Amino acid sequence: MTTVGIDAIEFRTGKLKLDLPGTFAPQKGEDPEKYTKGLGLTGSSFPDSYEDIVTMAANASYRLMDRKGLEPDDVGRIDVATESSFDNSKPVSTYVAGCLEQVFDGEFGHANKGERKFACVSGTQCVDDAYNWIRAGRNRGRGALVIATDTALYARGDAGEATQGAGAVAMYVDEDPDLVALSTEQGYGSADETDFLKPNQQFPSVDGKRSVQVYLARMREALVDYQSVAGRVHPDDFTYAPFHTPFPGMVRKAALLAYRHVTRDTAIEDELAEEIGRQPRREGFDDEEAFTGAIREYMDGLKGTDRYREWYAETIDPTIEISREVGNWYTGSVHVARISALKHALENDRDLAGEKLLVGSYGSGAQAEIHVETVADGWAEEVAALDVDDQLADRYDLEWAEYEEIHDVHNHETDVEVEPRTAPDAEFVFDGWGPMGERKYRYVE
Ligand code: CAA
């Protein structure tokens, strides 16, 4: 059976940057280390005044198609995952196709287009839809363009303001992929939750502390469900574990729980027992409080062990390197984590072909999904073609007053125009409003 998976990937950051320890923390009267050490963030990406979810999606897609020599005729579906959409009917994918038709000779008239919603997990759901469509043999030899694009903004003054970000990840899902192959095995943890939602409003209503607990609970359920179909997961089975990264500190919490879970009843637990004892088992305790207290104590011990720290440094830290600098991209975030890990491997001369990634996606509301991907032979060439470092270095560093203005520019409730801080260069830009309230876009040479 031929493999199906992600053949190519592209990364597009918003062209502005907010320095969290340097600019944000002093304004809030907070210790910069809350950001660098606590949340694990140094910066957030923001869109300039001519950028939005469509321009970032179209610019990532154009680069991907151009680099891979793809024409509109090669693309049988365009699916956009976003939780920042500005239209309840017309999907962002139609705007993206309209942009791309300005620069390619062909058209996307044959392509099935849509928009997927389930908070941040919908990017992965779009990849799944593409996989299923190809596996079902309905693709007529074509691949799917999947784009995760968001401006992850919070209301000014909300605790989430520290974790904002903006960017798009475009992926081409096809047979015999060059980057990673997917499989049929998946695990889910899903429940009706109201920790983070946007009931017909742009900025989220968030119960931040609870959202962290919901993330951990659903992720744990997804891992258990994954093991029920794929068998036990052992830390040696995978090289990296890219997880949804609302902020790196969240992944730090999830990684510790996951490590405890996958090392239970293994030689690793036995080896660690001399130093920190064995993992507490529920049956060894009379009441829940004593059991959770013992777990907390075990986890505190575990995170200080050399064994855990080495595993974390090798398996998790490389996945959050980019996220530290760009913040949360909602639907794109787990796909940024995958790019981050693969980029780290390339820069450290690792040969990853055939190795496995344990990928954990998550969307508030809430649902987690876990699957394993196999790195394909062409991965290094694909990752070498990315220009992540240049894009990050080229971002314009916002002063506080400029940040306040740009937040207003992207606030749907305010009508503010400010001069862009950067100059468009060979890219799609927002070009004002049409007669039916539609947003218009233009390619600037
Ligand atoms: N030095 C070192 N560390 C410090 C510090 C200092 N001076 N000051 C604070 N810290 C640490 C804190 O101890 C804390 O770490 P722990 O949780 O490990 O204890 C961390 O920095 C953050 O500090 P606070 O909890 O005090 O921060 P906060 O009250 O401002 O809120 C937040 C943090 C709840 C995550 C908030 O940013 C928020 O609401 N974010 C949006 C919601 C979110 O991202 N939730 C994540 C799960 S939901 C999801 O994943 C979907 C999604 O994309 C939104």
Side-chain angles (χ1 to χ4, degrees):
M1 192 162 68
T2 54
T3 54
V4 175
I6 304 171
D7 187 50
I9 196 159
E10 273 297 339
F11 169 100
R12 179 79 181 195
T13 179
K15 292 167 80 174
L16 308 178
K17 168 193 155 186
L18 178 64
D19 181 330
L20 291 167
T23 306
F24 190 79
Q27 284 293 331
K28 297 277 166 185
E30 287 177 323
D31 182 351
E33 292 203 338
K34 170 179 170 185
Y35 298 90
T36 51
K37 294 200 170 144
L39 295 169
L41 289 164
T42 58
S44 308
S45 286
F46 283 89
D48 206 337
S49 53
Y50 56 84
E51 293 184 290
D52 66 11
I53 50 171
V54 172
T55 66
M56 295 186 296
N59 287 316
S61 303
Y62 182 30
R63 193 166 195 275
L64 183 151
M65 289 183 64
D66 190 45
R67 178 165 71 72
K68 296 294 278 187
L70 295 169
E71 297 291 331
D73 205 35
D74 299 313
V75 178
R77 42 189 300 157
I78 307 179
D79 289 314
V80 170
T82 185
E83 46 182 305
S84 321
S85 197
F86 46 77
D87 193 312
N88 288 324
S89 176
K90 183 174 156 61
V92 169
S93 48
T94 58
Y95 286 97
V96 173
C99 288
L100 295 172
E101 284 170 356
Q102 294 180 32
V103 292
F104 286 102
D105 285 339
E107 294 185 346
F108 292 94
H110 57 274
N112 186 8
K113 306 180 189 86
E115 191 173 302
R116 249 298 193 164
K117 179 174 72 181
F118 196 146
C120 311
V121 77
S122 61
T124 297
Q125 291 180 317
C126 286
V127 173
D128 287 347
D129 292 342
Y131 176 90
N132 297 338
W133 169 71
I134 294 171
R135 274 270 169 263
R138 303 175 95 177
N139 61 319
R140 296 190 243 162
R142 293 176 167 130
L145 184 59
V146 168
I147 313 153
T149 183
D150 271 299
T151 47
L153 299 186
Y154 290 75
R156 298 291 314 282
D158 189 290
E161 195 182 359
T163 64
Q164 299 176 118
V169 176
M171 294 166 270
Y172 188 62
V173 179
D174 199 8
E175 288 179 79
D176 197 13
D178 282 339
L179 193 70
V180 290
L182 302 166
S183 81
T184 51
E185 290 154 345
Q186 294 175 288
Y188 289 100
S190 192
D192 177 9
E193 297 276 5
T194 50
D195 55 318
F196 174 112
L197 56 159
K198 300 181 179 179
N200 285 327
Q201 64 196 43
Q202 183 190 4
F203 300 135
S205 300
V206 200
D207 182 342
K209 303 282 189 235
R210 199 164 149 262
S211 74
V212 168
Q213 296 312 318
V214 174
Y215 175 116
L216 295 174
R218 302 290 86 78
M219 209 55 109
R220 182 179 173 283
E221 290 159 6
L223 183 57
V224 170
D225 192 46
Y226 176 75
Q227 288 180 314
S228 76
V229 287
R232 273 208 68 158
V233 171
H234 187 279
D236 294 344
D237 295 346
F238 49 92
T239 310
Y240 299 110
F243 270 47
H244 170 60
T245 313
F247 55 95
M250 181 72 245
V251 174
R252 199 170 54 220
K253 291 181 203 291
L256 185 63
L257 279 177
Y259 192 78
R260 174 171 66 91
H261 185 87
V262 299
T263 54
R264 194 173 309 141
D265 296 321
T266 66
I268 299 177
E269 185 190 5
D270 297 342
E271 286 162 34
L272 287 169
E274 278 181 31
E275 202 178 337
I276 54 169
R278 293 185 66 75
Q279 295 193 19
R281 267 62 172 179
R282 192 177 292 272
E283 56 274 18
F285 293 83
D286 292 337
D287 66 89
E288 190 64 25
E289 207 178 308
F291 175 59
T292 48
I295 294 271
R296 212 170 298 125
E297 203 178 312
Y298 182 83
M299 303 273 273
D300 277 348
L302 179 62
K303 74 175 171 217
T305 62
D306 288 345
R307 177 126 202 184
Y308 177 73
R309 291 163 84 97
E310 276 161 30
W311 175 82
Y312 184 89
E314 282 174 15
T315 315
I316 305 296
D317 223 22
T319 71
I320 53 182
E321 283 175 358
I322 298 176
S323 166
R324 275 186 206 294
E325 297 188 53
V326 302
N328 193 357
W329 288 12
Y330 287 162
T331 55
S333 161
V334 65
H335 307 289
V336 169
R338 182 197 293 106
I339 292 173
S340 184
L342 297 178
K343 181 170 170 291
H344 177 92
L346 186 71
E347 287 163 359
N348 288 279
D349 295 326
R350 286 198 66 154
D351 181 9
L352 278 192
E355 296 198 18
K356 310 277 187 200
L357 311 179
L358 181 80
V359 182
S361 304
Y362 176 74
S364 296
Q367 182 161 299
E369 188 264 8
I370 298 242
H371 68 263
V372 167
E373 299 174 355
T374 307
V375 181
D377 290 344
W379 76 277
E381 205 179 318
E382 282 305 312
V383 177
L386 296 172
D387 64 348
V388 175
D389 290 337
D390 290 342
Q391 287 191 47
L392 296 184
D394 288 349
R395 286 177 301 171
Y396 176 89
D397 195 357
L398 292 165
E399 289 178 11
W400 181 253
E402 294 173 318
Y403 160 68
E404 295 194 296
E405 275 180 356
I406 204 75
H407 197 285
D408 281 348
V409 167
H410 295 291
N411 180 343
H412 298 169
E413 301 288 309
T414 52
D415 189 14
V416 181
E417 279 191 30
V418 300
E419 283 301 308
R421 306 288 161 196
T422 60
D425 178 19
E427 64 191 282
F428 297 102
V429 297
F430 171 61
D431 195 26
W433 302 89
M436 291 182 71
E438 74 275 24
R439 290 173 76 85
K440 296 200 300 180
Y441 297 92
R442 166 169 70 92
Y443 187 76
V444 173
E445 293 293 343

